[in-house]
Amino acid sequence: MTVHHVDVLVVGAGPTGLTAAGDLARSGRSVTVLERWPTVNPSSRAFATMARTLEVLDARGLAADLLARSHQAPGVTIFGGARIDLTHLDSPYQFAMITPQTNVDRALADYAAAQGAGVRRGVEVIGLDQDDDGVTVTVRPHGDEAGPHTRWRAKYVIGADGAHSTVRALVGADFPGRTILSSIVLADVLLAHGPAGRGLTLGSTRNEFAFLAPYDDRDASGAWYRAMVWDRTNQQPDNVPVDSDEIGGILARAIDPDPGLLNVGWKSRFHCDERQVAQYRHGRVFLAGDAAHVHSPMGGQGMNTGIQDAANLAWKIDAALTGADDAVLDTYHDERHPIGKRVLLQSGLMARGIKLHQPVARAVRNLLAPNILRVPRVRDAIAGGFAGTTLRYPHHKGESSLVGTRATQIPLRHGRLTELQRLPGFVFIRERGADPIDAAGLAQAERADEGPAVLVRPDGYIAWAGASTDRTAGAEALARWTGRELDCLAK
């Protein structure tokens, strides 16, 4: 039996898997992605890319081209006219990018290929065994039980193969949770009278809701939108075909005035669960994206959370392959599991708020939500959580409170941090006016404000903050994360 050897094997060619594969290949690792579907999926559920994910994409040189072909929504109107306002975000991206997930998938696939990652389609994983030195994965042609088996040998495996993950099942990880919404319909729709404004709009009744996200695609008859609709009184299994009249009827009842459905493009019926594995790491196997957590589509967090899982994990695997302590790999679970749990809570609260049935509860919701979101501090906190810009990782006792926060918003004398991050590795940002340090292989920049020096991880979060003159502490932080010491930092 043929055995192929790579540093890292990624299972699943969705946005999570492709981000991880591209990042690892960019760092010089041999990477192959295994995908069971023989062709790229032409349909997708995700459509909103949030500010923090746009920062991640910009650090890979992908954001500008995607934005040139996308709609920019400055906010989200939810129940009672309450508005999640994204225009005050502490980010260059004060909006949500609205584009079908297929466009993001295509950009990430091109990125992974350009970095040297291989993608093999039409093969499915059927076996997985790991030992002290690596992982052996057995695959066969998708759907062909008698087809030839092939084995792959890798130091590490990333399971990014979705909600029905085979990798998750093979490592014996439970996926506890429950279904919270059934018979949700997604569709691309042409509307004669779409909602005014450029934001995302939610309309609801006691029994229905309709969520509309505008595309920048219109003609004389109307404009195209991504629609998500649900009817409490018409609960159907996922395999029941979607009728255009079903979509048009819900839109007419939930959105006032009736937006006037003219045409329906792609459409799909599905259900959503709230589930999360207890552990993201299983020895040399890691679960990421929907393989690790699934939740309500409210808030558009699924694809975003998966891409950020990958950005957190890939550089740590690279560090471990370089010689960093194995404990670095444990921080993937330690940092990303709480984020996944928070996303489940956040999206679940929105879903439950939307489908409230009792008139009194709906009246209270519609009264409180708009007033709460008018308070600037609350507005910005909710918007930052929604966009991912205020999410942070924990820091240890004795470390600066800046450790674990994102560094993208730090103003530099020249250029942007995300431009420096297009090459792999840490970035050292010194104080304004401080001299560069002699550190071959460490990208550097100078702050344009009065903040401290910081050492920025490859995923854009701060690993250390202090004075440039205190190089011992900076060197210790770099060595702890990478297993690599730069003597110049300790001088």
Side-chain angles (χ1 to χ4, degrees):
M1 183 181 295
T2 303
V3 180
H4 303 280
H5 293 265
V6 290
D7 291 329
V8 183
L9 197 62
V10 178
V11 183
T16 302
L18 292 170
T19 300
D23 284 6
L24 284 158
R26 183 176 62 170
S27 297
R29 304 301 174 183
S30 58
V31 187
T32 294
V33 182
L34 303 179
E35 171 56 55
R36 63 175 178 160
W37 297 111
T39 59
V40 176
N41 187 351
S43 59
S44 59
R45 294 178 185 172
F47 54 86
T49 306
M50 303 303 172
R52 178 60 195 140
T53 306
L54 284 167
E55 294 172 357
V56 171
L57 294 173
D58 190 39
R60 288 144 185 83
L62 306 177
D65 286 346
L66 281 167
L67 285 167
R69 296 177 284 114
S70 304
H71 176 78
Q72 298 177 16
V76 185
T77 300
I78 56 175
F79 28 76
R83 178 177 170 80
I84 299 175
D85 186 353
L86 305 177
T87 63
H88 300 276
L89 291 173
D90 185 16
S91 171
Y93 307 105
Q94 296 178 325
F95 49 81
M97 180 180 75
I98 307 302
T99 192
Q101 182 186 318
T102 48
N103 291 338
V104 179
D105 287 348
R106 190 177 302 111
L108 287 168
D110 290 346
Y111 164 68
Q115 302 305 319
V119 179
R120 297 208 176 188
R121 295 185 177 275
V123 294
E124 61 180 328
V125 172
I126 59 172
L128 184 152
D129 296 289
Q130 58 179 310
D131 52 48
D132 291 342
D133 297 320
V135 188
T136 300
V137 174
T138 304
V139 305
R140 70 182 179 198
H142 176 51
D144 185 359
E145 294 185 6
H149 291 189
T150 304
R151 284 183 178 166
W152 290 78
R153 180 73 177 169
K155 291 293 185 182
Y156 298 100
V157 169
I158 299 174
D161 48 342
H164 303 288
S165 170
T166 298
V167 173
R168 186 181 64 233
L170 290 172
V171 298
D174 291 333
F175 204 31
R178 61 195 180 96
T179 298
I180 60 169
L181 280 172
S182 297
S183 198
I184 305 170
V185 173
L186 276 182
D188 287 336
V189 297
L190 178 64
L191 302 178
H193 313 291
R198 295 175 54 83
L200 295 90
T201 302
L202 171 73
S204 66
T205 68
R206 291 182 63 189
N207 291 317
E208 299 128 337
F209 72 73
F211 186 84
L212 293 173
Y215 295 138
D216 280 341
D217 185 4
R218 63 176 57 246
D219 55 30
S221 62
W224 283 93
Y225 291 76
R226 169 59 61 88
M228 180 190 304
V229 300
W230 177 79
D231 184 349
R232 190 193 308 271
T233 65
N234 183 33
Q235 295 293 288
Q236 304 289 344
D238 291 353
N239 60 358
V240 172
V242 179
D243 186 272
S244 295
D245 289 341
E246 177 184 355
I247 297 171
I250 299 173
L251 288 172
R253 295 188 295 272
I255 303 291
D256 185 23
D258 179 357
L261 179 65
L262 298 175
N263 193 13
V264 177
W266 171 83
K267 54 191 176 182
S268 174
R269 191 189 308 274
F270 70 100
H271 70 279
C272 73
D273 294 349
E274 282 183 346
R275 300 183 186 277
Q276 185 179 29
V277 294
Q279 287 291 326
Y280 283 13
R281 181 184 185 185
H282 296 263
R284 290 178 172 269
V285 180
F286 302 85
L287 300 175
D290 287 354
H293 47 75
V294 293
H295 42 79
S296 160
M298 303 303 158
Q301 299 297 308
M303 179 183 68
N304 293 271
T305 307
I307 289 174
Q308 292 172 51
D309 284 347
N312 181 287
L313 175 60
W315 72 268
K316 294 175 180 177
I317 291 179
D318 175 61
L321 289 168
T322 302
D325 192 283
D326 185 74
V328 167
L329 295 174
D330 290 331
T331 67
Y332 167 62
H333 169 87
D334 295 342
E335 293 181 343
R336 294 305 300 172
H337 190 277
I339 298 293
K341 188 174 182 179
R342 174 172 173 169
V343 169
L344 258 72
L345 175 63
Q346 179 177 290
S347 59
L349 286 173
M350 184 173 288
R352 289 167 177 81
I354 289 172
K355 68 175 191 174
L356 284 175
H357 189 251
Q358 295 299 324
V360 173
R362 291 174 57 82
V364 171
R365 177 201 69 185
N366 293 348
L367 176 65
L368 291 179
N371 288 305
I372 289 174
L373 285 172
R374 290 191 189 102
V375 179
R377 187 170 181 176
V378 176
R379 174 202 68 197
D380 294 347
I382 292 177
F386 182 78
T389 55
T390 57
L391 301 180
R392 60 163 300 154
Y393 300 139
H395 65 281
H396 299 294
K397 185 177 181 180
E399 291 182 322
S400 167
S401 61
L402 293 174
V403 171
T405 62
R406 50 186 270 283
T408 314
Q409 75 282 9
I410 295 175
L412 305 181
R413 284 283 306 277
H414 304 287
R416 307 190 310 275
L417 174 61
T418 48
E419 292 174 324
L420 295 174
Q421 289 181 297
R422 292 174 189 174
L423 293 175
F426 279 65
V427 176
F428 182 71
I429 302 177
R430 60 188 182 273
E431 302 98 327
R432 186 171 69 174
D435 294 329
I437 61 174
D438 180 15
L442 183 65
Q444 297 184 52
E446 180 184 345
R447 293 187 76 129
D449 61 8
E450 298 300 327
V454 297
L455 184 65
V456 183
R457 304 175 351 175
D459 57 358
Y461 289 82
I462 295 173
W464 167 84
S468 292
T469 53
D470 184 11
R471 297 186 183 175
T472 299
E476 289 175 348
L478 184 65
R480 183 169 64 251
W481 282 110
T482 67
R484 182 170 69 102
E485 294 187 10
L486 291 178
D487 292 338
C488 56
L489 280 180
K491 292 179 181 177

